[in-house]
Amino acid sequence: MSSKFDYLLKFIILGDSSVGKTNILSVYNDGSFNEKLQPSIGAEFKAKNIKIEDSIFRLNIWDTAGQETFLSMTRVYYKNSSCAFIVYDITEKESFNHVEFWLKELKKEAPESILCVLIGNKNDMNEKREVSYEEGNNYAKKNKMIFFETSAKNKNNIENIFKESVEYINNNIKNGVYNLNDDSCGVKLCNSKKKINIEELDLDISILGEKKAKKKKCC
């Protein structure tokens, strides 16, 4: 993986235990799927680069534990995040009902500019579905979230949820949504994309000019 990138983004994945968060990340990271994964403890981390238009984005992705007993530990990962995936299992209605809880927890710590993405996982098990596509989509629209259904097992839509989320963030960057001088928004400028604050530059030039003028007077 190249060490050169233009933007550093912090992604977090949250939701109930066993909804498939870790497999979503594993499939995206290296294509691996494990049906017998044990629940995460605390948070697990992966990093991956993705190119959108002429920019390279480095994604630092945190997969957080779904058990409420780890909440005090995982809340710290919500801070300074640019994007959050809230995942539920389409075959478990309770995991969908619990999305409201995770969204509220997220908003206690995350920046206002965070992109929230609702993901209904395991749509390869459509015969066991307890949550319709319409329910998920309507909830996402109501709460101003992007919505996807995925299958980590079949690798359905896994690449898309990351790619389209970064495209959305890239458009926000172009539209000046983020204060790129403040890393708390979850978007950090790197390498050649580092911008110069023109007002600060003018001030520095002005001060430098005054210093030179004083030196001339004293000689």
Side-chain angles (χ1 to χ4, degrees):
M1 178 170 58
S2 173
S3 61
K4 294 183 179 181
F5 44 90
D6 302 306
Y7 296 96
L8 179 64
L9 307 180
K10 181 181 177 184
F11 275 48
I12 55 171
I13 307 176
L14 55 156
D16 284 4
S17 182
S18 301
V19 296
K21 302 186 300 295
T22 301
N23 270 320
I24 285 174
L25 180 53
S26 294
V27 170
Y28 179 66
N29 182 62
D30 59 19
S32 63
F33 175 85
N34 185 351
E35 201 147 12
K36 297 181 180 180
L37 275 177
Q38 296 299 312
S40 299
I41 297 175
E44 297 182 11
F45 170 80
K46 300 287 185 183
K48 189 168 183 177
N49 291 355
I50 179 172
K51 185 174 183 180
I52 302 295
E53 296 179 351
D54 61 344
S55 297
I56 297 175
F57 293 81
R58 168 69 168 262
L59 309 187
N60 283 349
I61 312 163
W62 293 91
D63 166 30
T64 63
Q67 301 97 316
E68 290 186 36
T69 52
F70 292 112
L71 267 179
S72 60
M73 187 189 305
T74 57
R75 281 193 188 108
V76 68
Y77 296 101
Y78 303 168
K79 295 180 180 180
N80 305 341
S81 295
S82 51
C83 182
F85 291 169
I86 301 182
V87 184
Y88 67 91
D89 178 350
I90 69 159
T91 72
E92 293 287 343
K93 183 76 170 183
E94 185 61 28
S95 69
F96 177 72
N97 293 338
H98 218 198
V99 167
E100 184 76 15
F101 167 81
W102 292 111
L103 191 58
K104 287 180 179 178
E105 283 294 310
L106 174 68
K107 290 184 175 180
K108 288 177 185 178
E109 303 289 347
E112 290 184 8
S113 60
I114 192 169
L115 171 64
C116 294
V117 182
L118 182 63
I119 298 172
N121 192 36
K122 304 186 184 181
N123 70 352
D124 56 288
M125 301 172 67
N126 200 51
E127 70 282 357
K128 296 182 179 180
R129 179 187 289 271
E130 293 183 0
V131 184
S132 70
Y133 182 93
E134 289 73 23
E135 283 179 279
N137 193 38
N138 289 339
Y139 183 91
K141 286 181 179 178
K142 179 182 176 182
N143 291 279
K144 299 179 180 179
M145 305 169 76
I146 299 176
F147 178 65
F148 294 93
E149 279 196 352
T150 62
S151 167
K153 186 175 183 178
N154 291 348
K155 300 179 174 59
N156 176 39
N157 249 353
I158 300 302
E159 290 283 340
N160 285 341
I161 59 176
F162 288 93
K163 182 176 182 288
E164 292 191 28
S165 295
V166 179
E167 286 175 342
Y168 191 98
I169 291 171
N170 187 43
N171 286 332
N172 280 348
I173 292 171
K174 291 179 180 179
N175 293 326
V177 171
Y178 308 111
N179 177 7
L180 296 177
N181 294 315
D182 182 359
D183 293 346
S184 66
C185 69
V187 180
K188 184 176 181 180
L189 282 163
C190 305
N191 295 339
S192 61
K193 292 287 184 179
K194 193 71 178 177
K195 292 184 178 180
I196 298 174
N197 187 314
I198 299 300
E199 292 181 1
E200 289 181 1
L201 182 60
D202 288 344
L203 180 61
D204 289 341
I205 292 172
S206 176
I207 293 172
L208 183 61
E210 288 178 7
K211 287 181 178 179
K212 285 183 178 179
K214 287 179 180 178
K215 284 182 179 180
K216 286 182 180 178
K217 287 180 180 178
C218 69
C219 296

